[in-house]
Amino acid sequence: MSNPDESPLLLVGWDFRQTPVEVRERLAFTPEKIEAVVARMRQEGLLAECVIVSTCNRSEVYGVRGPAAVEGDPLLALARYISEFHGVPHHEIEGLGFRHMGADAVRHLFRVSAGLESLALGEHQILGQVREAFRFASSTGHTRTVLNRLFQKALEAGKRVRNETGLNSRPISIPGVAIELAQKIYEDLAPRRFLILGAGETSSIFYDLLVARGAKNIEVVNRTLEKAEALCQRAGKAYPWEELASRLPQADVVVSATSSTEPVITREDVRRAVAQRRGQPLFFLDLGIPRNVDPGVADLNNAFLYAVDDLQEIAERNRQERQREVGPAMDILEEELQDFLAWLGSLAVVPTITALRRKFETIREAEFDRSLEKLSSLTPADREKIRLMAQSLVRSLLRRPTEALKDEADPTRRLERAEAAQYLFDLDLDSKD
Amino acid sequence: MATSILLGATALLLYLGAEAFSIAHLRQEKAWLGILARSLLTLGFLVHFGALEIGGRITHTVPYRDLPTSMSLFAWMVAGSYGILRLRHREGSTGPFLLPVAILFLAISLVTHPVQAPAPDPKLTGALFAFHVTLAILGYAAFTLSFVLAQLYLIQIHQIHRRKLGVLFSRLPALDVLSRMHHTSIGIGVVAMTVASTLGLLWAKQNWGTYWDPKVAVTFLLIAVYVFCLLAGRLLGWSGKRIAILSIAGYFLLLFSYTIVNLFITQEHVFR
C-alpha cells in the first residue's frame, strides 16, 4: 500500500476554495443523483464502493477503485465521469477542484469531518453532513469493508477533535457570538422573552435562530406592522412601533436591527425599563448601523449592551483562537490516519499470503516432528518421503486460497478475502517466524 | 485520635484531587474529568465524615471542642454545602473556586490538631448545645460559599460589561445560574443560622439565666443582612450586582462577629 498508485482509495472533489459557486452549483448532487451515479459507476466497475458528500460548499466523491479502473489515471477517469454525469464539459472544470489517492484522500476526509476544510473553521455541522452522506451510501448498499471503516474512522476523528481541542468551543459568526453572550446572562434561552426591533433581513436571521433554539416568547416591533406580522408567522407576536416603550420592560433580550439614523432606545427608556424589572437583567444586541441603542445604556446597572462592532471583534478573536487549535487537531487526525492506514495495510494481499504460508508450514513442521517421534522404526529415506508428501499436501491445500486472493480483480473483494483469511486462519501479519 | 487524623489527611488528599480535576475540567471540558472530580469529592466527604465521627466518639461530643476540630467540621460542611449546590443547580464549574475553602480549613485543622483531646467542659454538653454549634457552623459554611459565589458573580458581570470574554468567561456559569446558586447558599445559611441562634438563646436562658450576649445582637444583624439579600431583588428591584456587593459586606460582618466580637466583646463564644 506504500505506492499511492496501488491504493484502492480515490477522491475527487470540488469545494469553495478552488471552485466558484456557479460551477459548484452545477456539480452538486441531490440524493436521487447520488443514487443514480453511484449505481452506474459500480455497475460499470469504475468504483467498487462509493460515498458522495455534497453540501453547499463541496461535492466530494470518495470511492474504492473498481475492476474497470485498473489502467490509466483512475482519478481523471472518475473526475470525467462525474462532470459528464452533470453535463458539464470537462474542460470547463479542468484545473478546478482536487484529486487525491490513498493516504491523501483519507487525510482530506478526516480534515473535512473535523471542520478544518470548512468555510467557518471548525464548524461542526459538517460532521453531521458527513454522517448523513455515509448513512445514505451504506443504506443503499454502496459501502463495504473499506469505506465503512474509513467513514467510521472519519466520524470518530471528527468527534475527537471536537471534544479534545478548542476548535469549536467559541462561536465565530455574529449570530453565534450574540447567542453565546445571551446565554451567559440567561442560561436557558427558551423561556426568555425576546424583543426584536425591525423586520428586515438581520431581524429575520435572528428570528429564525431564536425559533430554532426553541424560543417561544418573541415579540417583533416595527414601524410597518404588516412586515412585523409577516415575520411572526411561525411564532411570536407583532406590535406597532408605538408600543415599544410598553414592551421594553417585559423583554429579557432586545435585538435591535432597524435602519433608523438615530438611536431608537435612549438611556432614559432603559433606566425606566430596568427599574420595572425587579432586578432582572436586560440584554441589548444592537445590530443597527448606525447604532439603534444609546451607548450610555452600557453604564446602567443590570443593562448589558453589545453593538455590532463588539460582536465582530469577539468573533475575530474567537477565529484567531480557533486558528491556534489547528495544530492540536492535526495531531489527532494524523494519529487516526496512521491507525486507519495500518488497518488498510494489514489487508494487503501479499503479506496475507506470506502469513498464510508461514502458518501452514509451522503446522506442517510441528505435526511432522510429532509423528516421527512415534514412528522411530522408519528409515531416513522413508522419513524424507513423508516430509515431501506433507510439503506437497500443504502446497495443494494453499493453491486455491492463494489464487483466490491474488487473482481477484475487485480491490474491495480482494481486501475482504484477505481479511476473511486472516480471521479464519488466525494469521499474524507482524510475525517474522 | 491517630485514626481520626489519618482519615482527615486522607480526606484532604481526596479534596486536593477533586480540586485538581475540577481545575482540569474547567480548562478542558472532558466529561471524565468532571466525573473524577465528583467521585473524589464524594469519597473525600465520606472519609472526612469518618474522621469527624471517630473524633466525636473519642471526645463523646460533636467535634467542636476546640478550634482545630471545629475548623474540620466547618470544612466538611463547606464540602457538603458545595455538594448540595452542585446537585441542586447541576453546575460544577464553580468547584475550583469553592473547594479551596474546605481544603484550607481542613489543612489548618490537621496542622494545629492537638495530640490529646481536650478535657470535656461539663457545661458545654447536651443536644441543644450540640445542635446550636453544629448548625451555626453550617451557617458559616453556607455564607462562606455565598461569599465566593458573590465574587464569581461580580467577576462574570465585569467580564460581560468590559467585553473580557476569555476562558474564564466561557467556563463560568451564566449570571442567572450564579445568582440562583448564591441565593440557595444564602438560604441554607439563613435557615441554619436562625435555628442555631434560637437554640443558642434557649440554651443561654437555661445556663446563663439570660438571653443577652453581644454576640446575639451581631448575629441577628448578620441574619437580617442576609435576609435582605434574599428579598432585595424581588421586593425592591435591586440588581444582582448590588445584592452580590451586599452579600460580600455581610460576610465581612460575619468575620467581624467571628473575630473581634468573639475575642474582645464577648467571652462566651471563644474556643478554649
Side-chain angles (χ1 to χ4, degrees):
Chain A
M1 217 63 66
S2 54
N3 181 358
D5 291 345
E6 291 174 11
S7 172
L9 281 168
L10 308 175
L11 159 65
V12 298
W14 297 268
D15 71 7
F16 66 94
R17 288 184 211 278
Q18 306 94 345
T19 315
V21 65
E22 53 275 14
V23 179
R24 288 206 310 275
E25 278 168 359
R26 294 165 72 193
L27 294 169
F29 289 91
T30 59
E32 294 74 28
K33 279 186 174 179
I34 292 177
E35 177 53 24
V37 73
V38 174
R40 256 172 56 188
M41 285 191 293
R42 291 189 67 206
Q43 206 173 9
E44 292 170 23
L46 183 61
L47 295 179
E49 302 179 52
C50 182
V51 176
I52 295 181
V53 179
S54 184
T55 71
C56 54
N57 285 329
R58 65 190 66 251
S59 288
E60 298 183 351
V61 181
Y62 295 86
V64 173
R65 193 199 286 240
V70 179
E71 288 176 6
D73 181 350
L75 290 173
L76 182 62
L78 185 56
R80 280 183 189 281
Y81 199 99
I82 298 295
S83 63
E84 277 166 26
F85 173 80
H86 284 294
V88 179
H90 190 255
H91 66 87
E92 284 188 26
I93 56 168
E94 194 76 60
L96 300 175
F98 46 84
R99 298 178 209 156
H100 296 307
M101 203 179 250
D104 291 338
V106 180
R107 188 177 287 111
H108 181 87
L109 175 63
F110 285 11
R111 283 180 60 90
V112 167
S113 298
L116 294 180
E117 293 290 331
S118 297
L119 185 58
L121 180 68
E123 61 93 8
H124 62 269
Q125 284 95 331
I126 187 66
L127 192 62
Q129 290 163 331
V130 170
R131 185 182 292 112
E132 186 48 37
F134 172 50
R135 196 200 56 74
F136 182 76
S138 111
S139 68
T140 45
H142 297 313
T143 63
R144 279 151 61 195
T145 310
V146 179
L147 288 195
N148 279 342
R149 181 74 168 228
L150 174 66
F151 274 80
Q152 277 156 8
K153 212 65 186 139
L155 295 172
E156 267 173 42
K159 252 191 263 177
R160 271 194 69 193
V161 167
R162 199 167 71 181
N163 295 337
E164 294 176 28
T165 71
L167 197 65
N168 191 43
S169 62
R170 306 294 304 279
I172 55 171
S173 67
I174 286 186
V177 170
I179 293 291
E180 189 198 32
L181 280 165
Q183 280 179 319
K184 281 296 171 189
I185 293 167
Y186 294 110
E187 187 191 39
D188 184 6
L189 293 182
R192 294 290 152 194
R193 290 177 177 274
F194 293 87
L195 178 63
I196 298 178
L197 309 187
E201 196 187 337
T202 309
S203 298
S204 172
I205 290 170
F206 266 85
Y207 176 86
D208 291 343
L209 198 65
L210 293 173
V211 171
R213 296 225 165 210
K216 291 169 190 73
N217 303 312
I218 305 175
E219 297 179 349
V220 180
V221 175
N222 194 48
R223 290 192 196 280
T224 314
L225 183 61
E226 293 73 31
K227 281 191 182 175
E229 283 169 343
L231 191 58
C232 289
Q233 272 174 354
R234 275 182 293 156
K237 203 168 173 199
Y239 288 92
W241 189 256
E242 294 69 37
E243 293 204 29
L244 172 59
S246 67
R247 301 322 306 160
L248 198 56
Q250 315 300 322
D252 296 313
V253 178
V254 179
V255 181
S256 179
T258 75
S259 53
S260 170
T261 52
E262 286 178 6
V264 293
I265 295 179
T266 65
R267 192 173 188 276
E268 186 52 27
D269 295 335
V270 179
R271 197 192 58 72
R272 274 200 301 268
V274 167
Q276 293 177 47
R277 290 178 52 74
R278 297 273 167 225
Q280 290 291 306
L282 183 50
F283 181 44
F284 289 91
L285 286 164
D286 183 358
L287 305 173
I289 300 173
R291 298 175 75 140
N292 291 171
V293 183
D294 181 347
V297 166
D299 303 329
L300 289 171
N301 246 343
N302 255 11
F304 301 90
L305 170 62
Y306 275 74
V308 76
D309 286 351
D310 302 320
L311 300 177
Q312 255 162 357
E313 195 186 317
I314 297 164
E316 181 50 37
R317 233 171 17 223
N318 290 351
R319 251 191 292 277
Q320 288 169 6
E321 271 177 35
R322 281 194 186 190
Q323 205 62 46
R324 282 196 286 274
E325 294 295 320
V326 170
M330 279 309 296
D331 291 344
I332 291 171
L333 297 187
E334 279 303 314
E335 204 178 288
E336 294 291 340
L337 174 74
Q338 292 312 322
D339 201 26
F340 176 78
L341 292 179
W343 171 81
L344 193 61
S346 76
L347 296 187
V349 167
V350 174
T352 305
I353 293 171
T354 310
L356 189 62
R357 283 183 182 154
R358 195 165 52 227
K359 180 92 178 185
F360 272 63
E361 283 301 318
T362 310
I363 295 169
R364 180 188 62 76
E365 278 173 24
E367 290 299 320
F368 182 70
D369 291 347
R370 211 171 53 176
S371 302
L372 282 193
E373 274 176 24
K374 294 174 191 162
L375 301 168
S376 53
S377 58
L378 289 179
T379 64
D382 289 339
R383 288 182 181 209
E384 184 57 19
K385 277 180 196 159
I386 292 172
R387 195 177 64 78
L388 290 173
M389 188 193 75
Q391 275 180 346
S392 170
L393 187 68
V394 165
R395 270 200 301 273
S396 299
L397 282 171
L398 286 179
R399 188 169 302 122
R400 177 60 200 139
T402 306
E403 283 170 4
L405 283 167
K406 270 182 10 189
D407 299 344
E408 174 55 55
D410 181 334
T412 298
R413 200 169 296 146
R414 204 162 57 220
L415 294 170
E416 283 168 353
R417 285 181 181 177
E419 190 178 38
Q422 287 171 25
Y423 176 74
L424 288 174
F425 297 106
D426 189 24
L427 301 182
D428 180 5
L429 268 62
D430 296 330
S431 171
K432 301 288 176 216
D433 299 334
Chain B
M1 194 57 81
T3 314
S4 168
I5 293 174
L6 188 67
L7 285 177
T10 310
L12 179 66
L13 287 176
L14 290 165
Y15 287 156
L16 282 168
E19 171 69 6
F21 283 108
S22 293
I23 293 171
H25 190 224
L26 191 73
R27 289 170 64 89
Q28 35 182 308
E29 287 174 298
K30 287 182 188 169
W32 66 271
L33 289 171
I35 292 168
L36 217 52
R38 278 201 299 279
S39 308
L40 289 175
L41 175 63
T42 309
L43 203 58
F45 183 73
L46 295 173
V47 172
H48 195 170
F49 175 76
L52 291 167
E53 162 74 10
I54 290 172
R57 282 185 189 282
I58 292 167
T59 53
H60 301 289
T61 179
V62 179
Y64 49 65
R65 181 62 50 74
D66 49 41
L67 191 59
T69 45
S70 71
M71 283 201 289
S72 178
L73 181 62
F74 172 79
W76 185 71
M77 298 265 190
V78 168
S81 305
Y82 167 61
I84 292 169
L85 277 181
R86 198 184 166 123
L87 283 174
R88 170 84 178 76
H89 298 284
R90 299 181 182 285
E91 177 51 62
S93 61
T94 51
F97 307 96
L98 299 177
L99 277 179
V101 181
I103 292 169
L104 179 72
F105 278 86
L106 179 56
I108 296 173
S109 155
L110 287 169
V111 171
T112 58
H113 205 287
V115 181
Q116 283 295 320
D121 182 340
K123 277 201 301 181
L124 306 180
T125 52
L128 208 57
F129 187 78
F131 275 111
H132 162 66
V133 180
T134 309
L135 286 170
I137 292 177
L138 173 62
Y140 285 137
F143 289 144
T144 303
L145 293 190
S146 74
F147 172 65
V148 180
L149 288 165
Q151 290 177 75
L152 292 179
Y153 184 91
L154 291 178
I155 289 170
Q156 187 68 314
I157 216 167
H158 176 80
Q159 292 185 123
I160 297 172
H161 264 307
R162 299 282 161 233
R163 289 133 176 79
K164 289 182 177 170
L165 310 181
V167 177
L168 192 59
F169 160 79
S170 67
R171 297 287 191 267
L172 279 181
L175 286 179
D176 63 340
V177 176
L178 279 171
S179 176
R180 286 199 297 271
M181 290 177 85
H182 182 234
H183 207 266
T184 305
S185 59
I186 290 181
I188 295 172
V190 164
V191 171
M193 197 56 90
T194 307
V195 177
S197 303
T198 310
L199 296 178
L201 284 176
L202 295 173
W203 184 88
K205 183 70 178 165
Q206 283 174 13
N207 290 273
W208 302 337
T210 174
Y211 291 116
W212 175 248
D213 179 54
K215 177 83 175 176
V216 174
V218 179
T219 304
F220 278 109
L221 177 63
L222 186 71
I223 293 171
V225 169
Y226 280 115
V227 168
F228 189 80
C229 284
L230 291 178
L231 302 175
R234 201 159 290 178
L235 297 183
L236 302 173
W238 272 35
S239 67
K241 186 179 173 182
R242 282 172 86 178
I243 294 170
I245 292 169
L246 180 67
S247 160
I248 290 169
Y251 196 73
F252 282 108
L253 180 64
L254 183 151
L255 292 177
F256 170 75
S257 163
Y258 202 74
T259 53
I260 308 291
V261 174
N262 280 11
L263 292 171
F264 303 112
I265 300 175
T266 174
Q267 287 300 300
E268 301 301 338
H269 281 85
V270 180
F271 290 101
R272 296 188 178 91

